[in-house]
Amino acid sequence: MPSPGPPCQSPRHHAHDPHRTSRRRQGHPGGAPRRPAPHPPHLQRRHAAGRGQGGHGARRRGRRLHEGRQAGARRGRDRDDPRAHRPPRRRRRLHARRLPAHDPAGRGPVGGHDPRRLHPRPRRPHRGPRRADRRARRRPPQRPGHRPDLPPDVRSAAARGRRPPRPPQGRHRGGDPAAPGQVPRRDRAHRPPLRGPGRAPPGRRRRHPRRGHRPPHRRPRELIMASYDHQAIDARWQERWARERTFATPTDRTRPKYYVLDMFPYPSGSGLHVGHPKGYTATDVVARARRMMGYNVLRVMGWDSFGLPAERQAEKENIHPRVVTERNVATFKQQLSRLGLSYDWDRELATSDPRYYRWTQWIFLKLWERGLAYQAEVPVNFCPALGTVLANEEVKDGKYIETGDDVERRLMKQWMLRITAYADRLVDDLDGLDWPAGTLAMQREWIGRSVGANVDFAVVGHDARVQVFTTRPDTLFGGTYVVLAPEHPLVDAVTTAAQRAAVAAYRAEAGRRSERERTSEAADAPKTGVFTGAYAENPVTGQPIPIWVADYVLATYGTGAVFACPAHDERDWAFATRFGLPIVEVVRGGDVTQAAYTGDGVHVNSEFLDGLDNAAAIDKVIGWLVERGRGEKSVRYRLRDWLFSRQRYWGEPFPTIELDDGTVKVLPEDALPVLLPELDAYKPTADGRPPLARAGDWMVTTDPATGRPATRETNTMPQWAGSCWYYLRFLSPDRDDVAWDPDEERYWMNVDLYVGGSEHATLHLLYARFWHKVLHDLGLVHTREPFQRLFHQGMIHKPSFKDARGKYYYDHEVEKVGERWVVKATGERVETRNEKMSKSRYNVVNPDDMCDEYGADALRLYELFMGPLEDGTEWATDGVSGCRRFLDRAWRLAVDDETGGPSGKLADTVVGDQRALERALHAAIKRVSEAVDNLRMNVAIADMMVFVNEATRAATVPRDWYEQFLRILSPFAPHVAEELWERLGHRTSIQAAPWPTWDEAKLARDVITIAVQVQGKLRGTIEVAADAAEAEVLAAARAEPKVVEFLAGKPIKREIYVKGRLVNLVV
RNA sequence: GCGAAAGUGGCGGAAUUGGUAGACGCGCUGGAUUCAGGUUCCAGUGGGUAACUCCGUGGGGGUUCGAGUCCCCCCUUUCGCACCA
């Protein structure tokens, strides 16, 4: 898909972050191998870091040094990196001990003594940076992420960024000069010196994030405690999953299948931001849960890797687009890998790989064979800035939707695909799909099928007829004039001498206005037009009516001519009123002197149509016209054929040649793939031909059939081509003899769940459906539609800061002064808006940073916890830490903070009355199970939190219940879940454990609370047995003291009882 | 302009689809633990009020015993479409 998150796309964005680009370049000299090595991500990382001098960590640190006053302190702390001189392991371990949680009930693993007494130096969680440290570093006032306090938002810097230190707790700090409100808590200068050598350095990982600088040996396992070591655990399980091929696609065919697919990304140079993984995480939860539920799951990832940005970047750096692409893919893959997504990486594919695009070319041959591909001299949208043509769909308001570059009309010979031949099926087959209603509507609208009639109007005094298309032939009796588009071929012929000058002037004027102006200036602009002096004969009344020329009639739609019925069409009404043309009512229902009436109604003034409603009148009049040869039924579409060529290098070459006599023919299948030639430049040639024309040797060829000289096509296919069928290639990506294996296709298709952004609602999804239907007609796929269920994840937003010139700033470059935001350096005012995250808006949050700091599981949870999957929400890094705390609590249920061993909290049996805990467990199982279907992940996570809170409060937790919980947690937080599962003694992956089931009976309560209302207002609650009879409940309600008070002795007129919910007493 | 969706605490969001508004998380307040920061744990947290209570789901009407939920009008935001005959 060209643009997963549109903004990452444009090459101009690269310029904004030279650090990153250069860092990447250093880290991956020569790009990454195409078939990635099977190394787990963390290992790859190490390699990468090892290669670049200094490694990425150093580089990044260097960058941060510029970021403000925190830098000095940070650097200082780096210097006494305690890891440099670690104490012997044993001692470390003692220091690393975590205090046992306070146990109010006096039970638990605390034992007879308090280790604190033995160790004057308190230990702190060994793992995981402490929150304050993180916060301080992560978002010093000048750091990004820190300004959630947008103008309307009151939780401002005062509350967060500039929060005063906690007031002294008692007298210790009574005399502290650092009085509350004066000294930012994060100011390290005021911190007492801390921690001995055993202390784990807080924030360590942040300063030496993933690349390089890893400690020479791994932290011993027993030290992984209360706050679990996410770095070690994430890496360990990712490595293990890769080694054991845990997510390999199953080959047995006895189980039901589930094909869950993410819209594959265009690997832009900007890398991922936290907006990308939202959909991927959701599908990962579905995939992991479905596996546990016994499904064979196909879960794959690939790259939509042809495309303009790589080509432009290649020009800029003077390297091959392939190199740029490989570099970007390596970055994307590395970032994705850290999230622990359960892809079968063996099936990774890239559309720019000749092994892939060979088959894209092959499908083109099929389209050709079916007569669906043709060349035509057509007016195209040419974008001079890009040097290429664009499909209609890629142009909006005269600009390229991706970059905003201007687009103009030109006549050029182009490849076209006859998608219009499938228009009806593309509309009709939408009916069986489980897609968002809005997307279905957009597709229907885009295809724009309208059913109506072609009607012929004879021109008075000429041997010519004007054919019009109309959806309302029933209003022909109200047709009081005819309008031709300015470009209509009959204009010249019919215009009278007297009107010739006026018409010519009008046409010249209309010609000067671009199509864009004419359409986008919209319906509200006053209508313009000019009379031709000619008349046409109304085919039903026989009356002569004037012929006008007006640009509200489009030359490109229908027949370029309409008959006007001002009484029942708003545009005609506006035009007729302006130019004093007659308005004749033919459908009752409105006041046509005031406005057009477009609704249904009884026909009048219409002779043989009188008394009929719209539908019946339409039928009847068409029959009447057909009988007399004056018209016919007709269906028109807004959809046009698909302009399928681009004047670019980095795309699929067409498998076609042109012979010396101008004949165009396709190459045979065995000539595939037609490889892209190597070039030394990727710009168009001096004479304006596409870049491929630079490859003289490649271009000149012979017709394999006849041996005659021929030239190759120098256009390439658009980026949509590769994404039209990738879901099929995933079925057998390693086969070179077929595009996909038919048996695999029969088993796996169609895609059960397809998740991606709504920006593809029309383009990609329409094109892919079109190809799929062609393949279906060829017997190559067995389903009519490719994507049974579609879901759009919402966009993630963050505040952006922009000055009057449109320049964006990072949030650490601005500050809030009073109610306004200004640039720190210059004091210039900036405007702030919540915008979708993108590199170009300087408001991205990098998932790598989140993984470093909170771990992949916390990030995954937060992505889904933020809100409904389909909604856009504002990113709040604090929310990630909340999810991390939830995981920590879940961890502590099983793992003792003190020893790193079993917590002792897990019991073999139920102890006492634990029905509340059991209810929470079953509620969570139910909610999570349902979420796998309805994708309401946020509430599912909330219910798991309830269980953990409940379990934390409990003295003991039945081990079996805890394990059930771990299993439902595992799709969301797989690393932690696997680790805990293993620590509980399981040898096999939690992925192999069956999905737990819930019991509705366990969700019930014996005693329920009933709300009691008087006059509909809540006055009290009563507790009754769940199975209490109505009379009993009502009696209890009437007896409730508060209720008695509000009844005030008045007679009860009515008693309403909603079982299990409430009682309402009406007096 | 047309169409669709949505407006709920300081914030992100719940609410069994007409039945106790504010689940869960963030933030905040207090307490315990701590030399201390942090962590962890406990308690609190829609607004007004000393309290009784009253007011609260964008605004205004309405239906109903009962409305965040249904109906009508208006406002705002987001996304589509933009003279498609």
Side-chain angles (χ1 to χ4, degrees), chain A residues 130 163 185 450 471 519 571 866 936 945 1061 1064:
Chain A
R130 299 168 320 160
R163 184 177 38 189
R185 172 156 74 176
S450 48
T471 54
T519 56
R571 296 152 300 185
M866 291 176 79
R936 289 174 37 110
M945 288 172 168
R1061 301 231 144 256
N1064 189 9

CSV table of all heavy atoms in Angstrom, one decimal, chain A residues 130 163 185 450 471 519 571 866 936 945 1061 1064, chain B residues 12 15-16 24 26 28 37-38 65 82-85:
chain,number,residue,atom,x,y,z
A,130,ARG,N,13.5,3.3,37.4
A,130,ARG,CA,12.4,3.8,38.2
A,130,ARG,C,11.7,4.8,37.5
A,130,ARG,O,12.2,5.5,36.6
A,130,ARG,CB,13.1,4.4,39.5
A,130,ARG,CG,13.8,3.3,40.2
A,130,ARG,CD,14.6,3.9,41.2
A,130,ARG,NE,15.2,5.1,40.7
A,130,ARG,CZ,15.7,6.1,41.5
A,130,ARG,NH1,15.6,5.9,42.8
A,130,ARG,NH2,16.2,7.1,41.0
A,163,ARG,N,6.0,19.9,37.9
A,163,ARG,CA,5.5,19.6,39.2
A,163,ARG,C,6.5,19.9,40.3
A,163,ARG,O,7.6,19.5,40.2
A,163,ARG,CB,5.1,18.1,39.2
A,163,ARG,CG,4.4,17.8,40.5
A,163,ARG,CD,4.0,16.4,40.4
A,163,ARG,NE,5.0,15.6,39.7
A,163,ARG,CZ,4.9,14.4,39.3
A,163,ARG,NH1,3.8,13.8,39.5
A,163,ARG,NH2,5.9,13.8,38.8
A,185,ARG,N,11.3,18.3,40.9
A,185,ARG,CA,11.7,17.1,41.5
A,185,ARG,C,12.8,16.3,40.7
A,185,ARG,O,13.6,15.6,41.3
A,185,ARG,CB,10.4,16.2,41.5
A,185,ARG,CG,10.7,14.9,42.0
A,185,ARG,CD,9.4,14.3,42.5
A,185,ARG,NE,8.5,14.0,41.4
A,185,ARG,CZ,7.4,13.4,41.7
A,185,ARG,NH1,7.0,13.1,42.9
A,185,ARG,NH2,6.6,13.1,40.7
A,450,SER,N,-25.2,4.6,-11.7
A,450,SER,CA,-26.6,5.2,-11.7
A,450,SER,C,-27.3,4.7,-12.9
A,450,SER,O,-26.8,4.6,-14.0
A,450,SER,CB,-26.6,6.7,-11.7
A,450,SER,OG,-25.7,7.3,-12.6
A,471,THR,N,-31.3,10.2,-15.0
A,471,THR,CA,-31.8,9.2,-14.1
A,471,THR,C,-33.3,9.5,-13.8
A,471,THR,O,-34.0,8.8,-13.1
A,471,THR,CB,-31.1,9.2,-12.7
A,471,THR,OG1,-31.1,10.6,-12.2
A,471,THR,CG2,-29.7,8.8,-12.9
A,519,THR,N,-14.9,22.1,-10.9
A,519,THR,CA,-15.6,21.2,-10.1
A,519,THR,C,-15.4,21.5,-8.6
A,519,THR,O,-16.4,21.4,-7.8
A,519,THR,CB,-15.1,19.7,-10.3
A,519,THR,OG1,-13.7,19.7,-10.1
A,519,THR,CG2,-15.5,19.3,-11.7
A,571,ARG,N,-29.8,21.8,-9.4
A,571,ARG,CA,-28.9,22.6,-10.2
A,571,ARG,C,-29.6,23.3,-11.3
A,571,ARG,O,-29.4,24.5,-11.6
A,571,ARG,CB,-27.8,21.6,-10.8
A,571,ARG,CG,-26.9,21.0,-9.8
A,571,ARG,CD,-26.4,19.7,-10.2
A,571,ARG,NE,-27.6,18.8,-10.5
A,571,ARG,CZ,-27.4,17.5,-10.8
A,571,ARG,NH1,-26.2,17.0,-10.9
A,571,ARG,NH2,-28.5,16.7,-11.0
A,866,MET,N,-5.7,2.0,24.7
A,866,MET,CA,-6.0,3.4,24.5
A,866,MET,C,-7.4,3.7,24.3
A,866,MET,O,-7.9,4.7,24.7
A,866,MET,CB,-5.2,3.9,23.3
A,866,MET,CG,-3.8,3.9,23.4
A,866,MET,SD,-3.0,4.4,21.8
A,866,MET,CE,-3.3,6.2,21.9
A,936,ARG,N,-12.9,-5.6,20.5
A,936,ARG,CA,-13.0,-4.6,21.6
A,936,ARG,C,-11.9,-4.9,22.6
A,936,ARG,O,-12.2,-5.4,23.7
A,936,ARG,CB,-14.4,-4.6,22.2
A,936,ARG,CG,-15.4,-4.1,21.2
A,936,ARG,CD,-16.8,-4.2,21.7
A,936,ARG,NE,-16.8,-4.0,23.2
A,936,ARG,CZ,-17.4,-3.0,23.8
A,936,ARG,NH1,-17.9,-2.0,23.1
A,936,ARG,NH2,-17.3,-2.9,25.1
A,945,MET,N,-7.3,-6.5,34.0
A,945,MET,CA,-6.8,-5.6,35.1
A,945,MET,C,-7.6,-5.8,36.4
A,945,MET,O,-7.1,-5.9,37.5
A,945,MET,CB,-6.8,-4.2,34.7
A,945,MET,CG,-5.7,-3.8,33.7
A,945,MET,SD,-5.9,-2.1,33.1
A,945,MET,CE,-4.4,-1.9,32.2
A,1061,ARG,N,-32.2,-5.8,38.5
A,1061,ARG,CA,-31.6,-4.4,38.3
A,1061,ARG,C,-32.1,-3.4,39.2
A,1061,ARG,O,-31.4,-2.8,40.0
A,1061,ARG,CB,-31.9,-4.0,36.8
A,1061,ARG,CG,-31.3,-4.9,35.8
A,1061,ARG,CD,-30.5,-4.1,34.8
A,1061,ARG,NE,-29.4,-4.9,34.4
A,1061,ARG,CZ,-28.1,-4.7,34.8
A,1061,ARG,NH1,-27.9,-3.7,35.6
A,1061,ARG,NH2,-27.2,-5.4,34.4
A,1064,ASN,N,-38.6,0.6,40.7
A,1064,ASN,CA,-39.0,2.1,40.6
A,1064,ASN,C,-40.4,2.2,41.2
A,1064,ASN,O,-41.4,1.5,40.7
A,1064,ASN,CB,-39.0,2.5,39.2
A,1064,ASN,CG,-39.2,4.1,39.1
A,1064,ASN,OD1,-39.2,4.7,40.1
A,1064,ASN,ND2,-39.4,4.5,37.9
B,12,G,P,-9.8,13.3,26.7
B,12,G,OP1,-9.9,13.8,25.3
B,12,G,OP2,-11.0,13.2,27.5
B,12,G,O5',-9.3,11.8,26.6
B,12,G,C5',-8.1,11.5,25.9
B,12,G,C4',-7.8,10.1,25.9
B,12,G,O4',-7.4,9.7,27.2
B,12,G,C3',-9.0,9.2,25.6
B,12,G,O3',-9.1,9.1,24.2
B,12,G,C2',-8.5,7.8,26.2
B,12,G,O2',-7.5,7.2,25.4
B,12,G,C1',-7.9,8.3,27.5
B,12,G,N9,-8.9,8.3,28.6
B,12,G,C8,-9.6,9.4,29.0
B,12,G,N7,-10.4,9.0,30.0
B,12,G,C5,-10.2,7.7,30.2
B,12,G,C6,-10.7,6.8,31.2
B,12,G,O6,-11.6,7.1,32.0
B,12,G,N1,-10.1,5.6,31.1
B,12,G,C2,-9.2,5.2,30.2
B,12,G,N2,-8.8,3.9,30.3
B,12,G,N3,-8.7,6.0,29.3
B,12,G,C4,-9.2,7.2,29.4
B,15,A,P,-18.8,-0.4,26.9
B,15,A,OP1,-18.8,-1.8,26.5
B,15,A,OP2,-18.9,0.7,25.9
B,15,A,O5',-20.0,-0.1,27.9
B,15,A,C5',-20.2,-0.9,29.0
B,15,A,C4',-21.3,-0.4,29.9
B,15,A,O4',-20.8,0.8,30.5
B,15,A,C3',-22.6,0.0,29.2
B,15,A,O3',-23.4,-1.1,29.0
B,15,A,C2',-23.2,1.0,30.2
B,15,A,O2',-23.8,0.3,31.3
B,15,A,C1',-21.9,1.7,30.7
B,15,A,N9,-21.6,2.9,29.9
B,15,A,C8,-20.9,3.1,28.8
B,15,A,N7,-20.8,4.3,28.4
B,15,A,C5,-21.7,5.0,29.2
B,15,A,C6,-22.0,6.4,29.3
B,15,A,N6,-21.6,7.3,28.5
B,15,A,N1,-22.9,6.7,30.3
B,15,A,C2,-23.3,5.8,31.2
B,15,A,N3,-23.0,4.5,31.2
B,15,A,C4,-22.2,4.2,30.2
B,16,U,P,-24.4,-1.1,27.8
B,16,U,OP1,-23.5,-1.0,26.6
B,16,U,OP2,-25.5,-0.2,28.0
B,16,U,O5',-25.0,-2.6,27.8
B,16,U,C5',-24.3,-3.6,27.1
B,16,U,C4',-24.6,-5.0,27.8
B,16,U,O4',-24.1,-5.0,29.1
B,16,U,C3',-26.1,-5.2,27.9
B,16,U,O3',-26.7,-5.8,26.7
B,16,U,C2',-26.1,-6.3,29.1
B,16,U,O2',-25.8,-7.5,28.6
B,16,U,C1',-25.0,-5.7,30.0
B,16,U,N1,-25.6,-4.8,31.0
B,16,U,C2,-26.1,-5.4,32.1
B,16,U,O2,-26.2,-6.6,32.3
B,16,U,N3,-26.6,-4.5,33.0
B,16,U,C4,-26.6,-3.1,33.0
B,16,U,O4,-27.1,-2.4,33.9
B,16,U,C5,-26.0,-2.6,31.8
B,16,U,C6,-25.5,-3.4,30.9
B,24,C,P,-12.5,-0.1,38.5
B,24,C,OP1,-12.2,-1.2,39.5
B,24,C,OP2,-12.5,1.3,39.0
B,24,C,O5',-11.5,-0.2,37.3
B,24,C,C5',-11.1,-1.5,36.8
B,24,C,C4',-10.2,-1.3,35.5
B,24,C,O4',-11.1,-0.7,34.5
B,24,C,C3',-9.1,-0.3,35.7
B,24,C,O3',-8.0,-0.8,36.3
B,24,C,C2',-8.9,0.0,34.2
B,24,C,O2',-8.2,-1.0,33.6
B,24,C,C1',-10.3,0.2,33.7
B,24,C,N1,-10.8,1.5,33.9
B,24,C,C2,-10.5,2.5,32.9
B,24,C,O2,-9.8,2.1,31.9
B,24,C,N3,-11.0,3.7,33.0
B,24,C,C4,-11.7,4.1,34.1
B,24,C,N4,-12.1,5.3,34.2
B,24,C,C5,-12.0,3.1,35.1
B,24,C,C6,-11.6,1.9,34.9
B,26,C,P,-2.6,3.6,36.3
B,26,C,OP1,-1.2,3.2,36.6
B,26,C,OP2,-3.6,3.8,37.4
B,26,C,O5',-2.5,5.0,35.5
B,26,C,C5',-1.6,5.2,34.4
B,26,C,C4',-1.8,6.6,33.8
B,26,C,O4',-3.2,6.7,33.4
B,26,C,C3',-1.6,7.7,34.7
B,26,C,O3',-0.2,8.0,34.8
B,26,C,C2',-2.3,8.8,34.0
B,26,C,O2',-1.6,9.3,32.9
B,26,C,C1',-3.6,8.1,33.5
B,26,C,N1,-4.7,8.3,34.5
B,26,C,C2,-5.3,9.5,34.5
B,26,C,O2,-5.0,10.4,33.8
B,26,C,N3,-6.3,9.7,35.4
B,26,C,C4,-6.7,8.7,36.2
B,26,C,N4,-7.7,9.0,37.0
B,26,C,C5,-6.1,7.4,36.2
B,26,C,C6,-5.1,7.3,35.3
B,28,C,P,0.6,13.3,39.2
B,28,C,OP1,1.7,14.3,39.2
B,28,C,OP2,0.9,11.9,39.6
B,28,C,O5',-0.6,13.9,40.1
B,28,C,C5',-1.0,15.2,40.0
B,28,C,C4',-2.3,15.4,40.8
B,28,C,O4',-3.3,14.5,40.3
B,28,C,C3',-2.2,15.1,42.3
B,28,C,O3',-1.6,16.2,43.0
B,28,C,C2',-3.6,14.9,42.7
B,28,C,O2',-4.3,16.1,42.7
B,28,C,C1',-4.2,14.1,41.4
B,28,C,N1,-4.1,12.7,41.6
B,28,C,C2,-5.1,12.0,42.4
B,28,C,O2,-6.0,12.8,42.9
B,28,C,N3,-5.0,10.7,42.6
B,28,C,C4,-4.0,10.0,42.1
B,28,C,N4,-4.0,8.7,42.3
B,28,C,C5,-3.0,10.6,41.3
B,28,C,C6,-3.1,11.9,41.1
B,37,G,P,10.9,11.1,50.3
B,37,G,OP1,9.9,12.1,50.4
B,37,G,OP2,10.6,9.7,50.8
B,37,G,O5',11.5,11.0,48.8
B,37,G,C5',11.7,12.2,48.1
B,37,G,C4',12.3,11.9,46.8
B,37,G,O4',13.6,11.2,47.0
B,37,G,C3',11.5,10.9,46.0
B,37,G,O3',10.5,11.5,45.3
B,37,G,C2',12.6,10.4,45.0
B,37,G,O2',12.9,11.3,44.0
B,37,G,C1',13.8,10.3,46.0
B,37,G,N9,13.8,9.0,46.6
B,37,G,C8,13.2,8.6,47.8
B,37,G,N7,13.4,7.4,48.1
B,37,G,C5,14.1,6.8,47.1
B,37,G,C6,14.6,5.5,46.8
B,37,G,O6,14.5,4.5,47.5
B,37,G,N1,15.3,5.5,45.6
B,37,G,C2,15.5,6.5,44.8
B,37,G,N2,16.2,6.2,43.7
B,37,G,N3,15.1,7.7,45.0
B,37,G,C4,14.4,7.8,46.1
B,38,G,P,9.0,10.8,45.3
B,38,G,OP1,8.1,11.6,44.6
B,38,G,OP2,8.7,10.4,46.7
B,38,G,O5',9.3,9.4,44.5
B,38,G,C5',9.5,9.5,43.1
B,38,G,C4',10.1,8.2,42.6
B,38,G,O4',11.3,7.9,43.5
B,38,G,C3',9.3,7.0,42.7
B,38,G,O3',8.4,6.8,41.7
B,38,G,C2',10.3,5.9,42.8
B,38,G,O2',10.8,5.6,41.5
B,38,G,C1',11.4,6.5,43.6
B,38,G,N9,11.1,6.2,45.1
B,38,G,C8,10.6,7.0,46.0
B,38,G,N7,10.5,6.4,47.2
B,38,G,C5,11.0,5.1,47.0
B,38,G,C6,11.1,4.1,47.9
B,38,G,O6,10.8,4.0,49.1
B,38,G,N1,11.6,2.9,47.2
B,38,G,C2,12.0,2.9,45.9
B,38,G,N2,12.4,1.7,45.5
B,38,G,N3,11.9,3.9,45.1
B,38,G,C4,11.4,5.0,45.7
B,65,C,P,-45.3,6.5,31.5
B,65,C,OP1,-46.3,5.4,31.8
B,65,C,OP2,-45.7,7.9,31.3
B,65,C,O5',-44.3,6.6,32.8
B,65,C,C5',-44.7,7.1,34.0
B,65,C,C4',-43.7,6.9,35.0
B,65,C,O4',-43.6,5.5,35.3
B,65,C,C3',-42.2,7.2,34.6
B,65,C,O3',-41.9,8.6,34.8
B,65,C,C2',-41.4,6.3,35.5
B,65,C,O2',-41.3,6.9,36.8
B,65,C,C1',-42.3,5.1,35.6
B,65,C,N1,-41.9,4.0,34.6
B,65,C,C2,-40.7,3.3,34.8
B,65,C,O2,-40.0,3.6,35.8
B,65,C,N3,-40.3,2.4,33.9
B,65,C,C4,-41.1,2.1,32.9
B,65,C,N4,-40.7,1.2,32.0
B,65,C,C5,-42.3,2.9,32.6
B,65,C,C6,-42.7,3.8,33.5
B,82,A,P,-15.3,13.6,-5.4
B,82,A,OP1,-15.3,13.1,-6.7
B,82,A,OP2,-14.1,13.9,-4.6
B,82,A,O5',-16.1,15.1,-5.5
B,82,A,C5',-17.3,15.2,-6.2
B,82,A,C4',-18.0,16.4,-5.6
B,82,A,O4',-17.6,16.6,-4.2
B,82,A,C3',-17.7,17.7,-6.2
B,82,A,O3',-18.5,17.8,-7.4
B,82,A,C2',-18.1,18.7,-5.2
B,82,A,O2',-19.5,19.1,-5.3
B,82,A,C1',-18.0,17.9,-3.9
B,82,A,N9,-17.0,18.5,-2.9
B,82,A,C8,-15.8,18.0,-2.5
B,82,A,N7,-15.2,18.7,-1.7
B,82,A,C5,-16.1,19.8,-1.5
B,82,A,C6,-16.0,21.0,-0.7
B,82,A,N6,-15.0,21.3,0.1
B,82,A,N1,-17.1,21.9,-0.8
B,82,A,C2,-18.1,21.5,-1.6
B,82,A,N3,-18.3,20.5,-2.4
B,82,A,C4,-17.2,19.7,-2.3
B,83,C,P,-18.3,18.8,-8.5
B,83,C,OP1,-17.2,18.4,-9.4
B,83,C,OP2,-18.4,20.2,-7.9
B,83,C,O5',-19.7,18.3,-9.1
B,83,C,C5',-20.7,18.0,-8.2
B,83,C,C4',-22.0,18.7,-8.7
B,83,C,O4',-21.8,20.1,-8.9
B,83,C,C3',-22.4,18.1,-10.0
B,83,C,O3',-23.8,17.9,-10.0
B,83,C,C2',-22.2,19.3,-11.0
B,83,C,O2',-23.1,19.4,-12.0
B,83,C,C1',-22.3,20.5,-10.1
B,83,C,N1,-21.6,21.7,-10.5
B,83,C,C2,-22.4,22.9,-10.7
B,83,C,O2,-23.6,22.9,-10.4
B,83,C,N3,-21.7,24.0,-11.2
B,83,C,C4,-20.4,23.9,-11.5
B,83,C,N4,-19.9,25.0,-11.9
B,83,C,C5,-19.7,22.7,-11.3
B,83,C,C6,-20.3,21.7,-10.9
B,84,C,P,-24.3,16.5,-9.3
B,84,C,OP1,-25.7,16.5,-9.4
B,84,C,OP2,-23.6,16.3,-8.0
B,84,C,O5',-23.7,15.4,-10.2
B,84,C,C5',-24.4,15.1,-11.4
B,84,C,C4',-24.1,13.7,-11.9
B,84,C,O4',-22.7,13.7,-12.3
B,84,C,C3',-24.1,12.6,-10.7
B,84,C,O3',-24.5,11.4,-11.3
B,84,C,C2',-22.7,12.5,-10.3
B,84,C,O2',-22.3,11.3,-9.8
B,84,C,C1',-21.9,12.7,-11.6
B,84,C,N1,-20.6,13.3,-11.4
B,84,C,C2,-19.5,12.6,-11.9
B,84,C,O2,-19.7,11.5,-12.4
B,84,C,N3,-18.2,13.1,-11.7
B,84,C,C4,-18.1,14.3,-11.1
B,84,C,N4,-16.9,14.8,-11.0
B,84,C,C5,-19.2,15.0,-10.7
B,84,C,C6,-20.4,14.5,-10.8
B,85,A,P,-25.9,10.8,-11.1
B,85,A,OP1,-26.2,10.5,-9.8
B,85,A,OP2,-25.7,9.8,-12.2
B,85,A,O5',-26.9,11.9,-11.6
B,85,A,C5',-27.6,11.7,-12.8
B,85,A,C4',-28.3,12.9,-13.3
B,85,A,O4',-27.4,14.0,-13.3
B,85,A,C3',-28.8,12.8,-14.7
B,85,A,O3',-30.0,12.2,-14.8
B,85,A,C2',-28.9,14.3,-15.1
B,85,A,O2',-30.0,14.9,-14.6
B,85,A,C1',-27.6,14.8,-14.4
B,85,A,N9,-26.4,14.8,-15.2
B,85,A,C8,-26.1,14.0,-16.2
B,85,A,N7,-24.9,14.3,-16.8
B,85,A,C5,-24.5,15.4,-16.2
B,85,A,C6,-23.4,16.2,-16.3
B,85,A,N6,-22.5,16.0,-17.2
B,85,A,N1,-23.3,17.3,-15.5
B,85,A,C2,-24.3,17.5,-14.6
B,85,A,N3,-25.4,16.8,-14.4
B,85,A,C4,-25.4,15.8,-15.2
